[in-house]
């Protein structure tokens, strides 16, 4: 299998603009592990035009990863090279030279995934009687910048930022296909970064993408047309964005609580939608419902959504 891996890597001529020496990278710890991939925290010496040490995140494969996972990692690299937006995670460099594992070096987001951030603030808000040890546990490796309480205005700002990142991706004719709070990262000063392009694919001419039958699918974030016909478009990303708003309002709850994924498609077809969460304004609920229109064409664009959130934010000033 090793020779095949080398062949795949060689298919991509090393890009001097991005190639970074492994010797200038010091791996510090594992931030998270998936089925085949893992994310590490590291310090990089003189990366992306910045002198000295920079804390970075490194995406790499686990030892038992298969060829297709390496392909996914490399196509994520190809996509990340092309994108540049404050609300989309930024590529800093890559290690593809022979003699070590493939590393994608991306900007480090201090607060980690938005989902875990929201859930941590929830614990701190609701269980203010937690003892110090428990609070320390929640803070774990994110204990440097303390998780402060998240305000309704913060949540609107997150939604607006994610819209802007997604609007940029859709302008680039990219469909994310796995937009969810777990795939948005939160960097310092509470800036949201859309990430995890593992599933991202170029949009075909007809603006739809037929998914290859592989891997696990995020059913509770998926539009009915994706579930039924594997159709992925910017409009199915908008559906997922509606679910993401629901995650924001519920501080990281899992959508459709109590509903089994096997039953979901039928319920959605019959017109069932999640009800308005307790602390959600009718205006915000109207926005999420508009994302869940059965007809993809009737759903708003990210540009429209962004304008609506800008207006809601203005009202909060
Ligand atoms: O909430 P988390 O700690 O934040 O759990 C996940 C975990 O790795 C697996 O994806 C964290 N993670 C991923 N990418 C980054 C990054 N660029 N900066 C900081 N943490 C990251 C994520």
């Amino acid at each position: 299998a090793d020779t095949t891996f080398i062949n795949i890597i060689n298919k991509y001529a090393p890009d001097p603009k991005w190639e970074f020496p492994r010797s200038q990278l010091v791996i510090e710890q594992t931030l998270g592990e998936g089925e085949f991939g893992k994310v590490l925290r590291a310090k990089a010496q003189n990366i992306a035009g910045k002198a000295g040490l920079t804390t970075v995140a490194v995406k790499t494969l686990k030892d038992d990863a298969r060829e297709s996972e390496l392909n996914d990692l490399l196509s994520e690299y190809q996509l990340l090279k092309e994108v540049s937006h404050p609300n989309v995670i930024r590529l800093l460099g890559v290690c593809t030279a022979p003699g070590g594992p493939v590393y994608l070096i991306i900007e480090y987001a201090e607060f980690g995934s938005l989902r875990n951030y929201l859930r941590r603030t929830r614990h701190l808000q609701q269980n203010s009687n937690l003892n110090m040890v428990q609070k320390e546990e929640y803070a774990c490796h994110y204990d440097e910048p303390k998780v402060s309480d998240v305000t309704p205005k913060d949540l609107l700002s997150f939604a607006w930022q994610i819209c802007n990142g997604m609007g940029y991706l859709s302008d680039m004719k990219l469909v994310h296909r796995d937009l969810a709070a777990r795939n948005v990262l939160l960097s310092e000063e509470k800036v949201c970064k859309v990430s995890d392009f593992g599933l991202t694919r170029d949009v075909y001419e007809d603006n739809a993408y037929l998914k290859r039958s592989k891997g696990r699918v995020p059913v509770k974030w998926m539009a009915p047309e994706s579930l039924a016909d594997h159709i992925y478009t910017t409009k199915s990303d908008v559906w997922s964005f509606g679910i993401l708003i629901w995650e924001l309002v519920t501080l990281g709850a899992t959508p459709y609580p109590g509903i089994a994924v096997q039953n979901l498609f039928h319920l959605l077809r019959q017109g069932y939608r999640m009800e308005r969460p307790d602390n959600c304004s009718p205006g915000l609920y109207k926005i999420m419902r508009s994302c869940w229109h059965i007809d993809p064409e009737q759903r708003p664009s990210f540009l429209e959504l962004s304008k609506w959130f800008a207006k809601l934010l203005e009202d909060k000033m």
Side-chain angles (χ1 to χ4, degrees):
D2 270 344
T3 35
T4 328
F5 275 27
I6 288 163
N7 287 340
I8 292 171
I9 294 166
N10 286 347
K11 236 181 20 192
Y12 299 90
D15 189 335
K17 184 165 174 252
W18 294 102
E19 197 66 30
F20 187 76
R22 282 193 195 86
S23 59
Q24 283 171 232
L25 204 58
V26 179
I27 306 290
E28 294 178 328
Q29 69 169 106
T30 302
L31 293 171
E33 288 198 3
E35 222 175 323
F36 304 101
K38 54 185 175 182
V39 182
L40 313 167
R41 195 184 72 191
K43 288 269 194 303
Q45 173 100 46
N46 305 340
I47 195 162
K50 189 170 169 273
L53 291 177
T54 304
T55 302
V56 296
V58 173
K59 284 188 89 164
T60 187
L61 298 173
K62 300 214 291 203
D63 294 335
D64 56 354
R66 295 170 305 199
E67 204 182 300
S68 63
E69 278 85 41
L70 176 60
N71 267 319
D72 286 351
L73 192 68
L74 291 172
S75 47
E76 184 174 1
Y77 164 46
Q78 299 302 321
L79 286 170
L80 283 174
K81 270 181 175 182
E82 306 300 324
V83 297
S84 168
H85 187 276
N87 299 116
V88 174
I89 200 79
R90 192 160 80 93
L91 181 73
L92 299 176
V94 74
C95 309
T96 63
V102 171
Y103 288 148
L104 275 195
I105 309 168
I106 57 177
E107 65 182 315
Y108 179 70
E110 255 168 295
F111 291 106
S113 76
L114 188 56
R115 179 171 192 266
N116 287 340
Y117 171 84
L118 293 169
R119 294 175 81 95
R120 284 200 306 277
T121 66
R122 185 201 318 198
H123 283 123
L124 293 176
Q125 278 173 346
Q126 288 175 350
N127 303 345
S128 48
N129 55 349
L130 282 181
N131 66 37
M132 284 311 284
V133 175
Q134 286 167 318
K135 280 194 176 171
E136 290 279 299
E137 274 173 17
Y138 283 122
C140 65
H141 53 262
Y142 295 104
D143 58 2
E144 251 199 34
K146 286 270 181 288
V147 174
S148 53
D149 280 5
V150 67
T151 64
K153 197 181 151 199
D154 285 331
L155 297 178
L156 287 177
S157 164
F158 293 166
W160 176 71
Q161 294 178 46
I162 296 163
C163 269
N164 294 340
M166 288 304 300
Y168 170 80
L169 290 182
S170 66
D171 286 347
M172 298 281 290
K173 302 272 179 265
L174 293 171
V175 176
H176 190 292
R177 308 206 313 162
D178 196 8
L179 180 60
R182 65 181 169 275
N183 289 332
V184 175
L185 294 163
L186 198 62
S187 77
E188 58 180 334
E189 280 147 25
K190 292 184 182 170
V191 177
C192 288
K193 311 265 176 181
V194 175
S195 95
D196 233 302
F197 291 65
L199 290 173
T200 319
R201 299 288 182 271
D202 281 293
V203 189
Y204 285 154
E205 287 139 33
D206 62 354
N207 205 35
Y209 183 85
L210 244 45
K211 185 184 160 289
R212 284 178 229 139
S213 57
K214 95 174 208 318
R216 292 188 297 168
V217 282
V219 172
K220 287 186 166 181
W221 282 260
M222 284 164 69
E225 71 274 13
S226 314
L227 288 167
D229 303 314
H230 307 302
I231 293 171
Y232 293 86
T233 63
T234 291
K235 294 294 186 181
S236 58
D237 278 348
V238 168
W239 176 290
S240 309
F241 178 74
I243 305 288
L244 207 169
I245 306 173
W246 187 92
E247 292 184 276
L248 285 173
V249 180
T250 59
L251 297 180
T254 301
Y256 307 98
I259 293 177
V261 288
Q262 307 88 277
N263 302 333
L264 191 58
F265 177 66
H266 245 78
L267 286 168
L268 294 175
R269 280 294 293 273
Q270 287 164 357
Y272 171 82
R273 299 292 184 271
M274 281 191 281
E275 59 187 41
R276 180 165 70 89
D278 278 343
N279 50 345
C280 175
S281 71
L284 190 56
Y285 185 59
K286 208 174 152 201
I287 296 180
M288 64 174 101
R289 285 298 293 256
S290 73
C291 297
W292 300 334
H293 205 292
I294 196 74
D295 177 2
E297 291 312 309
Q298 300 296 312
R299 296 171 204 155
S301 67
F302 282 112
L303 184 62
E304 281 174 286
L305 284 161
S306 172
K307 285 178 181 162
W308 293 345
F309 281 110
K311 181 80 179 55
L312 287 178
L313 272 167
E314 223 170 78
D315 296 345
K316 282 257 182 244
M317 293 293 188

